[in-house]
Amino acid sequence: MHSVTHSANILATAFAAGRFDPEELVQRGSQVVASRGRWLRPLAVRLAEAFAGKIHPRKSTIVAFLVADAGFCRAYHNDRVQIANLLGPIPEMIPTATAANWQGCLALPTPHDVSRWLNLAPGELDWFADRRRMAHAQSNPKLQHYRYRLLQKRPGEYRLIEAPKPRLKAIQRRILSDILNHVPPHEAAHGFRRGRSITSFAAPHVGKQVVLKMDLQDFFPSTRAAQIQSIFRFLGYPDTVADLLTGLCTTSAPQDIWPTAAPRPAQPTQRQMRRYAEPHLPQGAPTSPVLANLCAYRMDLRFSGLASTVNASYTRYADDMAFSGNQDFARVCQRFSTQAAAIAIDEGYTVHFRKTRIMKQGACQRVAGMVINRRLNISRKDYDRLKAVLTNCARHGPDSQNHDAHNDFRSHLEGRVSFVEQINPERGRRLRALLERIDWSK
Protein backbone atom coordinates (compact mmCIF):
# COMPACT_ATOMS: atom_id res chain seq x y z
CA MET A 1 0.00 0.00 0.00
CA HIS A 2 1.48 3.30 -1.09
CA SER A 3 1.26 6.35 1.15
CA VAL A 4 -0.84 9.29 -0.01
CA THR A 5 2.31 11.27 -0.81
CA HIS A 6 3.86 8.40 -2.75
CA SER A 7 0.67 7.88 -4.74
CA ALA A 8 0.48 11.63 -5.41
CA ASN A 9 4.11 11.56 -6.55
CA ILE A 10 3.46 8.82 -9.13
CA LEU A 11 0.31 10.51 -10.41
CA ALA A 12 2.13 13.87 -10.57
CA THR A 13 4.81 12.28 -12.76
CA ALA A 14 2.10 11.24 -15.21
CA PHE A 15 0.30 14.58 -15.07
CA ALA A 16 3.53 16.58 -15.59
CA ALA A 17 4.44 14.58 -18.73
CA GLY A 18 2.10 16.53 -21.03
CA ARG A 19 -0.31 19.41 -21.48
CA PHE A 20 -2.79 20.44 -18.83
CA ASP A 21 -5.89 19.67 -20.85
CA PRO A 22 -8.50 17.75 -18.77
CA GLU A 23 -8.88 14.97 -21.37
CA GLU A 24 -5.11 14.52 -21.69
CA LEU A 25 -4.69 14.56 -17.89
CA VAL A 26 -7.31 11.80 -17.57
CA GLN A 27 -5.61 9.76 -20.29
CA ARG A 28 -2.15 10.05 -18.69
CA GLY A 29 -3.50 9.42 -15.19
CA SER A 30 -5.22 6.25 -16.44
CA GLN A 31 -1.82 4.85 -17.45
CA VAL A 32 -0.62 4.62 -13.83
CA VAL A 33 -3.78 3.62 -11.93
CA ALA A 34 -5.37 0.16 -11.94
CA SER A 35 -8.78 1.46 -12.98
CA ARG A 36 -10.18 4.82 -14.00
CA GLY A 37 -12.36 5.80 -11.04
CA ARG A 38 -14.99 8.51 -10.98
CA TRP A 39 -12.57 10.66 -8.95
CA LEU A 40 -10.04 11.03 -11.82
CA ARG A 41 -11.93 13.29 -14.24
CA PRO A 42 -13.04 15.88 -11.60
CA LEU A 43 -9.46 15.92 -10.33
CA ALA A 44 -8.17 16.56 -13.87
CA VAL A 45 -10.64 19.45 -14.27
CA ARG A 46 -9.54 21.00 -10.97
CA LEU A 47 -5.87 20.67 -11.96
CA ALA A 48 -6.43 22.24 -15.38
CA GLU A 49 -8.34 25.16 -13.83
CA ALA A 50 -5.72 25.72 -11.10
CA PHE A 51 -2.86 26.08 -13.58
CA ALA A 52 -4.69 27.65 -16.53
CA GLY A 53 -2.66 30.42 -18.18
CA LYS A 54 0.46 29.64 -16.14
CA ILE A 55 3.80 28.14 -17.11
CA HIS A 56 3.70 24.33 -16.97
CA PRO A 57 3.95 23.42 -13.26
CA ARG A 58 6.80 21.47 -11.75
CA LYS A 59 6.14 17.96 -10.53
CA SER A 60 6.68 19.06 -6.91
CA THR A 61 3.98 21.73 -7.34
CA ILE A 62 1.54 19.13 -8.66
CA VAL A 63 2.33 16.81 -5.72
CA ALA A 64 1.59 19.65 -3.29
CA PHE A 65 -1.72 20.31 -5.07
CA LEU A 66 -2.75 16.64 -4.94
CA VAL A 67 -1.88 16.18 -1.27
CA ALA A 68 -3.94 19.28 -0.41
CA ASP A 69 -6.88 18.31 -2.67
CA ALA A 70 -9.84 17.01 -0.63
CA GLY A 71 -11.26 14.94 -3.51
CA PHE A 72 -7.98 13.12 -4.15
CA CYS A 73 -7.38 12.45 -0.44
CA ARG A 74 -10.93 11.15 -0.03
CA ALA A 75 -10.48 8.78 -3.00
CA TYR A 76 -7.16 7.60 -1.56
CA HIS A 77 -8.57 6.87 1.90
CA ASN A 78 -11.49 4.99 0.32
CA ASP A 79 -8.96 2.73 -1.48
CA ARG A 80 -9.95 4.00 -4.93
CA VAL A 81 -6.43 5.16 -5.89
CA GLN A 82 -4.69 1.91 -6.84
CA ILE A 83 -1.26 2.46 -8.46
CA ALA A 84 -0.52 -0.15 -11.12
CA ASN A 85 2.32 1.38 -13.18
CA LEU A 86 5.24 3.17 -11.53
CA LEU A 87 6.82 4.43 -14.76
CA GLY A 88 4.07 6.52 -16.32
CA PRO A 89 4.02 8.04 -19.85
CA ILE A 90 7.07 9.40 -21.68
CA PRO A 91 7.34 13.20 -21.12
CA GLU A 92 6.60 15.63 -23.95
CA MET A 93 8.06 19.01 -24.84
CA ILE A 94 5.54 21.60 -23.59
CA PRO A 95 6.65 25.10 -24.72
CA THR A 96 4.66 28.15 -23.75
CA ALA A 97 2.57 29.85 -26.46
CA THR A 98 5.34 32.41 -27.03
CA ALA A 99 8.17 29.86 -27.19
CA ALA A 100 6.19 27.66 -29.57
CA ASN A 101 6.49 30.41 -32.22
CA TRP A 102 10.30 30.38 -32.13
CA GLN A 103 11.96 28.14 -34.67
CA GLY A 104 14.99 25.94 -34.13
CA CYS A 105 14.99 25.08 -30.41
CA LEU A 106 16.13 21.48 -30.06
CA ALA A 107 13.55 18.94 -28.78
CA LEU A 108 14.91 16.97 -25.80
CA PRO A 109 11.99 15.41 -23.89
CA THR A 110 14.01 12.96 -21.75
CA PRO A 111 17.44 12.78 -20.06
CA HIS A 112 18.26 9.90 -22.44
CA ASP A 113 17.77 12.30 -25.37
CA VAL A 114 20.17 14.76 -23.70
CA SER A 115 22.79 12.01 -23.27
CA ARG A 116 22.54 11.00 -26.94
CA TRP A 117 22.65 14.62 -28.12
CA LEU A 118 25.81 15.39 -26.13
CA ASN A 119 27.31 11.93 -26.78
CA LEU A 120 27.71 11.34 -23.05
CA ALA A 121 26.99 8.30 -20.91
CA PRO A 122 24.25 8.96 -18.31
CA GLY A 123 26.84 8.92 -15.53
CA GLU A 124 29.01 11.46 -17.35
CA LEU A 125 26.02 13.71 -17.94
CA ASP A 126 25.13 13.64 -14.23
CA TRP A 127 28.74 14.38 -13.32
CA PHE A 128 28.95 17.43 -15.58
CA ALA A 129 25.47 18.69 -14.59
CA ASP A 130 26.35 18.24 -10.89
CA ARG A 131 22.74 18.68 -9.79
CA ARG A 132 23.61 17.78 -6.19
CA ARG A 133 26.38 20.41 -6.20
CA MET A 134 29.11 17.99 -5.15
CA ALA A 135 31.75 20.17 -6.84
CA HIS A 136 31.11 22.88 -4.23
CA ALA A 137 32.73 20.62 -1.63
CA GLN A 138 35.43 19.36 -3.99
CA SER A 139 38.93 20.54 -3.00
CA ASN A 140 40.85 18.70 -5.73
CA PRO A 141 41.24 21.10 -8.71
CA LYS A 142 41.49 18.12 -11.10
CA LEU A 143 37.92 17.10 -10.20
CA GLN A 144 36.49 20.60 -10.52
CA HIS A 145 34.77 21.63 -13.75
CA TYR A 146 36.05 25.24 -13.71
CA ARG A 147 39.30 27.16 -13.36
CA TYR A 148 39.12 30.21 -11.12
CA ARG A 149 40.80 33.61 -11.26
CA LEU A 150 39.97 36.67 -9.16
CA LEU A 151 40.23 40.15 -10.67
CA GLN A 152 40.26 43.24 -8.48
CA LYS A 153 38.26 46.00 -10.18
CA ARG A 154 38.89 48.62 -7.48
CA PRO A 155 39.58 48.48 -3.72
CA GLY A 156 37.00 46.20 -2.13
CA GLU A 157 35.44 45.11 -5.46
CA TYR A 158 36.24 41.80 -7.13
CA ARG A 159 35.15 39.78 -10.13
CA LEU A 160 35.63 36.02 -10.10
CA ILE A 161 36.32 34.56 -13.54
CA GLU A 162 35.03 30.98 -13.68
CA ALA A 163 36.31 29.44 -16.90
CA PRO A 164 34.92 25.98 -17.77
CA LYS A 165 37.40 23.28 -18.68
CA PRO A 166 37.46 22.11 -22.32
CA ARG A 167 34.88 19.29 -22.18
CA LEU A 168 32.30 21.32 -20.27
CA LYS A 169 32.96 24.33 -22.50
CA ALA A 170 32.24 22.20 -25.58
CA ILE A 171 28.96 21.07 -23.99
CA GLN A 172 27.98 24.66 -23.20
CA ARG A 173 28.74 25.73 -26.75
CA ARG A 174 26.32 23.09 -28.05
CA ILE A 175 23.63 24.34 -25.67
CA LEU A 176 24.31 27.86 -26.93
CA SER A 177 24.18 27.01 -30.64
CA ASP A 178 21.33 24.46 -30.60
CA ILE A 179 19.04 26.06 -28.01
CA LEU A 180 19.85 29.50 -26.61
CA ASN A 181 20.77 31.30 -29.83
CA HIS A 182 17.20 30.66 -31.07
CA VAL A 183 15.64 32.60 -28.18
CA PRO A 184 15.34 36.40 -28.72
CA PRO A 185 16.15 38.70 -25.77
CA HIS A 186 14.38 42.00 -25.13
CA GLU A 187 14.93 44.70 -27.75
CA ALA A 188 16.54 46.96 -25.13
CA ALA A 189 19.41 44.47 -24.62
CA HIS A 190 22.47 45.35 -26.74
CA GLY A 191 25.23 43.29 -25.11
CA PHE A 192 26.24 39.84 -26.41
CA ARG A 193 23.96 40.09 -29.44
CA ARG A 194 24.83 39.72 -33.10
CA GLY A 195 24.37 43.03 -34.90
CA ARG A 196 24.41 45.01 -31.63
CA SER A 197 27.32 46.75 -29.91
CA ILE A 198 28.14 49.49 -27.43
CA THR A 199 27.55 52.02 -30.21
CA SER A 200 23.99 50.76 -30.77
CA PHE A 201 23.59 50.82 -26.97
CA ALA A 202 24.63 54.48 -26.74
CA ALA A 203 23.14 55.83 -30.00
CA PRO A 204 19.53 56.31 -28.74
CA HIS A 205 20.82 58.70 -26.03
CA VAL A 206 22.81 61.09 -28.23
CA GLY A 207 21.77 64.75 -27.96
CA LYS A 208 19.26 64.20 -25.15
CA GLN A 209 18.66 66.83 -22.48
CA VAL A 210 19.23 64.42 -19.58
CA VAL A 211 20.91 61.02 -19.42
CA LEU A 212 20.60 58.69 -16.42
CA LYS A 213 23.25 55.99 -16.13
CA MET A 214 22.90 53.05 -13.72
CA ASP A 215 24.99 49.96 -13.05
CA LEU A 216 24.15 46.52 -11.67
CA GLN A 217 26.59 44.94 -9.24
CA ASP A 218 27.73 41.31 -9.69
CA PHE A 219 25.46 40.83 -12.71
CA PHE A 220 26.39 37.21 -13.50
CA PRO A 221 26.53 35.76 -9.95
CA SER A 222 23.25 37.58 -9.18
CA THR A 223 21.54 35.41 -11.83
CA ARG A 224 20.41 32.33 -9.95
CA ALA A 225 19.95 28.71 -11.03
CA ALA A 226 16.19 28.93 -10.38
CA GLN A 227 15.94 31.68 -13.02
CA ILE A 228 17.89 29.56 -15.52
CA GLN A 229 15.67 26.58 -14.82
CA SER A 230 12.61 28.74 -15.49
CA ILE A 231 14.05 29.74 -18.90
CA PHE A 232 14.43 26.11 -19.98
CA ARG A 233 10.97 25.21 -18.66
CA PHE A 234 9.54 28.23 -20.53
CA LEU A 235 11.01 26.69 -23.70
CA GLY A 236 9.10 23.49 -22.97
CA TYR A 237 11.72 21.18 -21.46
CA PRO A 238 10.37 18.76 -18.80
CA ASP A 239 11.63 19.17 -15.23
CA THR A 240 14.34 16.50 -15.41
CA VAL A 241 15.77 17.89 -18.66
CA ALA A 242 15.52 21.52 -17.49
CA ASP A 243 17.37 20.56 -14.30
CA LEU A 244 20.15 18.90 -16.33
CA LEU A 245 20.55 21.86 -18.69
CA THR A 246 20.55 24.25 -15.73
CA GLY A 247 23.25 22.23 -14.00
CA LEU A 248 25.40 22.32 -17.14
CA CYS A 249 25.15 26.13 -17.31
CA THR A 250 25.55 27.06 -13.62
CA THR A 251 28.07 26.43 -10.87
CA SER A 252 28.80 26.89 -7.17
CA ALA A 253 32.31 28.12 -6.39
CA PRO A 254 34.14 25.90 -3.85
CA GLN A 255 35.10 27.76 -0.68
CA ASP A 256 38.74 26.70 -0.82
CA ILE A 257 39.42 28.29 -4.23
CA TRP A 258 39.66 31.80 -2.76
CA PRO A 259 43.26 31.66 -1.46
CA THR A 260 44.38 30.33 -4.87
CA ALA A 261 42.24 32.72 -6.89
CA ALA A 262 43.17 35.71 -4.73
CA PRO A 263 46.83 35.42 -3.64
CA ARG A 264 46.88 39.06 -2.51
CA PRO A 265 46.47 39.99 1.16
CA ALA A 266 43.08 41.55 0.30
CA GLN A 267 40.20 39.09 0.11
CA PRO A 268 36.57 39.35 -0.98
CA THR A 269 34.00 39.89 1.77
CA GLN A 270 31.97 37.05 3.25
CA ARG A 271 28.91 38.41 1.43
CA GLN A 272 30.69 38.15 -1.93
CA MET A 273 31.90 34.63 -1.21
CA ARG A 274 28.42 33.51 -0.14
CA ARG A 275 26.99 34.89 -3.38
CA TYR A 276 29.43 32.80 -5.43
CA ALA A 277 28.77 29.74 -3.25
CA GLU A 278 25.11 29.69 -4.37
CA PRO A 279 24.35 28.14 -7.80
CA HIS A 280 24.79 30.99 -10.31
CA LEU A 281 25.87 31.91 -13.83
CA PRO A 282 29.67 31.66 -14.14
CA GLN A 283 31.38 34.62 -15.76
CA GLY A 284 33.56 32.85 -18.32
CA ALA A 285 31.10 30.25 -19.64
CA PRO A 286 29.95 30.71 -23.28
CA THR A 287 26.29 30.27 -22.27
CA SER A 288 26.31 32.89 -19.49
CA PRO A 289 25.96 36.15 -21.52
CA VAL A 290 22.89 34.93 -23.44
CA LEU A 291 21.27 33.42 -20.34
CA ALA A 292 21.90 36.63 -18.37
CA ASN A 293 20.10 38.60 -21.09
CA LEU A 294 17.16 36.18 -21.09
CA CYS A 295 16.85 36.25 -17.30
CA ALA A 296 16.83 40.06 -17.39
CA TYR A 297 13.93 40.07 -19.89
CA ARG A 298 11.25 40.93 -17.33
CA MET A 299 13.42 43.68 -15.84
CA ASP A 300 14.00 45.12 -19.34
CA LEU A 301 10.26 44.98 -19.95
CA ARG A 302 9.51 46.87 -16.75
CA PHE A 303 12.23 49.45 -17.41
CA SER A 304 10.95 50.04 -20.96
CA GLY A 305 7.42 50.50 -19.66
CA LEU A 306 8.58 52.91 -16.96
CA ALA A 307 10.64 54.91 -19.47
CA SER A 308 7.71 55.18 -21.90
CA THR A 309 5.58 56.93 -19.23
CA VAL A 310 7.96 59.93 -19.33
CA ASN A 311 8.90 59.78 -23.05
CA ALA A 312 12.36 58.41 -22.26
CA SER A 313 14.58 55.90 -24.07
CA TYR A 314 16.05 52.83 -22.37
CA THR A 315 18.90 50.50 -23.39
CA ARG A 316 21.06 47.98 -21.52
CA TYR A 317 24.52 46.61 -22.27
CA ALA A 318 25.18 43.72 -19.85
CA ASP A 319 25.11 45.40 -16.41
CA ASP A 320 25.14 49.00 -17.74
CA MET A 321 21.73 50.66 -18.10
CA ALA A 322 21.03 54.02 -19.73
CA PHE A 323 17.87 56.15 -19.77
CA SER A 324 17.52 59.48 -21.57
CA GLY A 325 14.94 62.04 -22.52
CA ASN A 326 14.13 65.70 -22.81
CA GLN A 327 11.77 67.97 -20.85
CA ASP A 328 9.37 65.35 -19.50
CA PHE A 329 12.21 63.13 -18.34
CA ALA A 330 14.27 66.02 -16.94
CA ARG A 331 11.45 67.03 -14.58
CA VAL A 332 11.22 63.62 -12.90
CA CYS A 333 14.72 62.17 -13.37
CA GLN A 334 15.64 62.02 -9.68
CA ARG A 335 12.41 60.27 -8.72
CA PHE A 336 12.68 58.07 -11.82
CA SER A 337 16.11 56.79 -10.72
CA THR A 338 14.63 55.72 -7.37
CA GLN A 339 11.80 53.86 -9.09
CA ALA A 340 14.23 52.17 -11.50
CA ALA A 341 16.45 51.05 -8.60
CA ALA A 342 13.39 49.61 -6.84
CA ILE A 343 12.53 47.59 -9.96
CA ALA A 344 16.09 46.22 -10.23
CA ILE A 345 16.09 45.21 -6.56
CA ASP A 346 12.64 43.62 -6.93
CA GLU A 347 14.03 41.53 -9.82
CA GLY A 348 16.86 40.23 -7.61
CA TYR A 349 19.70 42.52 -8.70
CA THR A 350 21.88 44.90 -6.70
CA VAL A 351 22.25 48.49 -7.92
CA HIS A 352 25.71 50.02 -7.72
CA PHE A 353 24.49 53.36 -6.37
CA ARG A 354 27.95 54.94 -6.41
CA LYS A 355 27.96 54.59 -10.19
CA THR A 356 24.50 56.13 -10.73
CA ARG A 357 24.85 59.40 -12.66
CA ILE A 358 22.35 62.04 -13.80
CA MET A 359 24.08 63.92 -16.62
CA LYS A 360 22.65 67.10 -18.09
CA GLN A 361 23.50 68.46 -21.52
CA GLY A 362 25.62 71.31 -20.17
CA ALA A 363 28.14 68.81 -18.76
CA CYS A 364 29.95 65.86 -20.33
CA GLN A 365 27.51 63.00 -20.88
CA ARG A 366 29.33 59.66 -20.99
CA VAL A 367 27.94 56.17 -21.56
CA ALA A 368 30.09 53.04 -21.96
CA GLY A 369 33.24 55.12 -22.30
CA MET A 370 31.75 57.32 -25.07
CA VAL A 371 30.76 60.97 -25.07
CA ILE A 372 27.19 61.38 -26.35
CA ASN A 373 26.40 65.11 -25.98
CA ARG A 374 26.09 65.85 -29.72
CA ARG A 375 27.36 62.71 -31.41
CA LEU A 376 29.14 59.51 -30.47
CA ASN A 377 32.74 60.32 -29.68
CA ILE A 378 35.66 59.40 -27.48
CA SER A 379 36.64 61.99 -24.89
CA ARG A 380 39.58 64.24 -25.68
CA LYS A 381 41.33 63.10 -22.49
CA ASP A 382 41.10 59.40 -23.42
CA TYR A 383 42.18 60.11 -26.99
CA ASP A 384 45.23 62.14 -25.89
CA ARG A 385 46.23 59.46 -23.36
CA LEU A 386 46.09 56.66 -25.94
CA LYS A 387 47.89 58.82 -28.51
CA ALA A 388 50.69 59.44 -25.98
CA VAL A 389 51.03 55.71 -25.24
CA LEU A 390 51.27 54.86 -28.95
CA THR A 391 53.77 57.67 -29.59
CA ASN A 392 56.00 56.52 -26.71
CA CYS A 393 55.76 52.91 -27.91
CA ALA A 394 56.99 54.02 -31.33
CA ARG A 395 59.85 56.05 -29.83
CA HIS A 396 60.99 53.92 -26.87
CA GLY A 397 59.58 50.47 -27.57
CA PRO A 398 56.32 48.88 -26.39
CA ASP A 399 57.82 47.42 -23.19
CA SER A 400 58.28 50.94 -21.84
CA GLN A 401 54.50 51.52 -21.84
CA ASN A 402 53.18 48.14 -20.68
CA HIS A 403 52.73 49.32 -17.10
CA ASP A 404 49.87 46.90 -16.35
CA ALA A 405 51.87 43.87 -17.58
CA HIS A 406 49.42 42.78 -20.29
CA ASN A 407 50.29 39.31 -21.61
CA ASP A 408 49.55 40.42 -25.17
CA PHE A 409 50.15 44.17 -25.18
CA ARG A 410 49.94 44.35 -28.96
CA SER A 411 46.41 42.89 -29.00
CA HIS A 412 45.47 45.20 -26.14
CA LEU A 413 46.49 48.28 -28.14
CA GLU A 414 44.87 46.88 -31.30
CA GLY A 415 41.60 46.57 -29.42
CA ARG A 416 41.75 50.11 -28.06
CA VAL A 417 42.50 51.58 -31.49
CA SER A 418 39.69 49.53 -33.08
CA PHE A 419 37.32 50.88 -30.44
CA VAL A 420 38.19 54.47 -31.41
CA GLU A 421 37.87 53.62 -35.13
CA GLN A 422 34.37 52.30 -34.50
CA ILE A 423 33.29 55.52 -32.79
CA ASN A 424 35.30 58.21 -34.61
CA PRO A 425 36.89 56.95 -37.86
CA GLU A 426 38.96 60.12 -38.37
CA ARG A 427 40.63 59.93 -34.97
CA GLY A 428 40.94 56.18 -35.39
CA ARG A 429 42.95 56.59 -38.60
CA ARG A 430 45.46 58.83 -36.81
CA LEU A 431 45.90 56.33 -34.01
CA ARG A 432 46.16 53.44 -36.50
CA ALA A 433 49.03 55.24 -38.24
CA LEU A 434 50.87 55.54 -34.91
CA LEU A 435 50.22 51.88 -34.11
CA GLU A 436 51.74 50.78 -37.41
CA ARG A 437 54.94 52.69 -36.62
CA ILE A 438 55.67 50.58 -33.52
CA ASP A 439 58.59 48.17 -33.80
CA TRP A 440 57.42 45.09 -31.89
CA SER A 441 60.86 43.47 -32.04
CA LYS A 442 62.24 45.92 -29.48
Side-chain angles (χ1 to χ4, degrees):
M1 179 69 176
H2 299 293
S3 70
V4 63
T5 303
H6 187 65
S7 297
N9 191 65
I10 296 169
L11 258 178
T13 302
F15 288 149
R19 300 184 183 279
F20 263 48
D21 173 79
E23 290 301 323
E24 293 189 28
L25 286 169
V26 170
Q27 184 181 8
R28 292 198 302 276
S30 299
Q31 295 181 42
V32 297
V33 294
S35 62
R36 183 188 297 186
R38 286 185 296 176
W39 58 271
L40 185 54
R41 184 173 296 279
L43 176 62
V45 172
R46 292 194 296 273
L47 265 172
E49 289 175 350
F51 297 103
K54 300 177 182 177
I55 192 170
H56 195 77
R58 287 183 64 93
K59 175 184 166 182
S60 57
T61 306
I62 302 172
V63 171
F65 178 92
L66 294 177
V67 171
D69 184 78
F72 173 74
C73 291
R74 187 164 52 250
Y76 172 81
H77 290 299
N78 290 336
D79 291 333
R80 296 175 186 165
V81 182
Q82 300 292 331
I83 301 297
N85 181 4
L86 300 180
L87 296 178
I90 297 173
E92 303 172 16
M93 290 283 292
I94 315 161
T96 60
T98 302
N101 294 324
W102 298 329
Q103 302 296 319
C105 280
L106 192 67
L108 299 167
T110 67
H112 179 65
D113 294 315
V114 180
S115 295
R116 286 194 305 170
W117 168 54
L118 295 175
N119 196 26
L120 295 172
E124 286 183 301
L125 178 60
D126 284 336
W127 185 64
F128 280 116
D130 191 25
R131 286 177 290 178
R132 290 187 293 170
R133 299 297 168 191
M134 301 296 291
H136 177 63
Q138 181 56 253
S139 59
N140 185 348
K142 292 183 179 180
L143 298 178
Q144 295 169 356
H145 296 313
Y146 291 82
R147 295 187 177 94
Y148 302 93
R149 184 163 57 96
L150 193 70
L151 302 180
Q152 185 170 6
K153 298 187 285 186
R154 52 180 58 84
E157 292 185 19
Y158 299 87
R159 175 181 291 125
L160 182 66
I161 304 299
E162 299 165 287
K165 293 180 180 178
R167 287 193 70 190
L168 180 57
K169 180 180 276 191
I171 291 169
Q172 291 171 342
R173 282 178 172 157
R174 290 208 67 182
I175 295 172
L176 180 66
S177 62
D178 294 353
I179 299 174
L180 299 177
N181 279 342
H182 300 282
V183 186
H186 193 276
E187 278 302 305
H190 288 257
F192 322 119
R193 292 185 66 181
R194 187 172 297 170
R196 304 287 182 94
S197 65
I198 57 168
T199 55
S200 67
F201 159 68
H205 310 292
V206 172
K208 296 296 180 67
Q209 189 174 332
V210 177
V211 177
L212 168 65
K213 183 177 71 170
M214 301 180 73
D215 183 83
L216 299 175
Q217 194 170 12
D218 297 330
F219 183 51
F220 285 95
S222 294
T223 306
R224 294 312 191 192
Q227 296 171 270
I228 308 304
Q229 209 262 4
S230 294
I231 294 293
F232 287 120
R233 290 183 61 240
F234 182 86
L235 296 176
Y237 293 102
D239 285 355
T240 51
V241 173
D243 288 343
L244 282 170
L245 294 174
T246 299
L248 293 170
C249 296
T250 58
T251 187
S252 303
Q255 290 285 48
D256 59 0
I257 59 101
W258 294 105
T260 306
R264 313 175 185 84
Q267 288 284 312
T269 63
Q270 288 296 317
R271 181 190 63 81
Q272 290 171 318
M273 288 192 283
R274 281 196 302 270
R275 173 167 283 181
Y276 281 103
E278 293 295 322
H280 63 275
L281 277 184
Q283 185 162 356
T287 46
S288 291
V290 173
L291 282 170
N293 269 346
L294 296 178
C295 289
Y297 188 95
R298 192 172 72 166
M299 182 181 70
D300 290 334
L301 199 65
R302 295 176 70 180
F303 280 151
S304 295
L306 182 65
S308 67
T309 63
V310 289
N311 297 319
S313 300
Y314 162 66
T315 57
R316 179 178 59 81
Y317 191 93
D319 55 0
D320 290 329
M321 303 175 299
F323 306 84
S324 67
N326 294 317
Q327 263 189 330
D328 292 344
F329 185 57
R331 282 197 298 267
V332 298
C333 192
Q334 190 67 54
R335 189 168 74 244
F336 183 95
S337 68
T338 303
Q339 291 175 311
I343 288 174
I345 293 169
D346 186 51
E347 291 295 328
Y349 297 97
T350 304
V351 177
H352 207 312
F353 288 103
R354 285 186 298 174
K355 291 186 176 181
T356 299
R357 298 284 184 274
I358 296 176
M359 301 169 287
K360 297 184 179 179
Q361 209 166 33
C364 179
Q365 296 172 323
R366 294 190 63 166
V367 170
M370 293 175 285
V371 178
I372 57 171
N373 289 71
R374 294 180 180 175
R375 67 185 183 95
L376 290 178
N377 206 348
I378 185 172
S379 73
R380 185 75 199 185
K381 182 179 179 181
D382 291 343
Y383 172 75
D384 288 343
R385 186 183 293 118
L386 180 55
K387 181 181 176 183
V389 169
L390 294 170
T391 301
N392 288 332
C393 284
R395 289 177 179 172
H396 309 296
D399 288 345
S400 67
Q401 301 301 304
N402 191 9
H403 304 301
D404 293 329
H406 292 284
N407 292 329
D408 191 346
F409 190 46
R410 184 173 187 170
S411 295
H412 170 72
L413 292 180
E414 284 272 3
R416 293 182 64 184
V417 171
S418 297
F419 174 70
V420 178
E421 287 176 324
Q422 185 179 3
I423 301 167
N424 189 322
E426 184 180 345
R427 283 183 169 180
R429 280 193 295 271
R430 296 175 198 161
L431 296 178
R432 178 67 62 181
L434 289 172
L435 181 67
E436 291 173 352
R437 287 172 46 193
I438 298 174
D439 182 2
W440 294 97
S441 63
K442 288 186 179 180

